[in-house]
Amino acid sequence: MSSSGWFFTDGWTGQQQITDTSTTQNHPIGTTVQAKHATYGVATFIYLKGVASTAAYNVVVFDLKANTTTRAVAGSRGPAAVAMSANVDDRYGWYMVEGSAIITCGTVAADKPLYATATAGTVDDAVVSGDMILGMVSKTA
């Protein structure tokens, strides 16, 4: 049973749990899985290497070719994901790429597109040209 409330839906057992961080790489970088949570529903996660100062629910951008993650800031480019743990430098963990996630954000209104901010890992709904995170929308204020 998962202590985080996330349960793999693809039959995986004995693997690194969704909200765990590990000093050991337990899966190939870029592995994707689906998991289900009673509150948040089904979501898709990608396994990535962490970066310094990452906190749970920070928004990151990642580069699978370079094997890097960077906490999102204004001007960031690349696919975005949400850290499911404090997955700091030289650690490994899961990041949500699709689904309903808790995220680190400023004050936001419901049902608004979200934008990278000057604060690493944080998003808000202030419209800034070039900083929109495609597909990321607030659901509650």
Side-chain angles (χ1 to χ4, degrees):
M1 180 173 188
S2 169
S3 61
S4 69
W6 288 101
F7 298 90
F8 292 109
T9 59
D10 57 7
W12 282 30
T13 57
Q15 304 295 322
Q16 184 173 331
Q17 295 301 303
I18 295 297
T19 58
D20 288 350
T21 295
S22 178
T23 56
T24 302
Q25 182 180 337
N26 294 303
H27 311 284
I29 299 298
T31 297
T32 58
V33 296
Q34 284 196 328
K36 184 175 184 177
H37 190 281
T39 302
Y40 304 110
V42 175
T44 303
F45 301 88
I46 189 167
Y47 194 73
L48 299 169
K49 186 176 181 183
V51 65
S53 303
T54 300
Y57 315 126
N58 276 178
V59 176
V60 302
V61 293
F62 61 93
D63 181 336
L64 291 177
K65 183 173 179 156
N67 190 25
T68 60
T69 58
T70 306
R71 294 189 308 146
V73 294
S76 292
R77 297 294 178 261
V82 178
M84 298 307 294
S85 63
N87 196 42
V88 296
D89 197 28
D90 294 325
R91 309 248 172 159
Y92 301 88
W94 295 104
Y95 293 76
M96 185 184 290
V97 291
E98 183 177 0
S100 293
I102 297 170
I103 58 171
T104 306
C105 62
T107 303
V108 298
D111 301 318
K112 298 289 183 184
L114 295 174
Y115 297 79
T117 70
T119 304
T122 302
V123 299
D124 65 25
D125 62 357
V127 177
V128 177
S129 180
D131 289 338
M132 180 191 286
I133 301 171
L134 299 177
M136 191 173 280
V137 177
S138 65
K139 297 312 283 176
T140 60

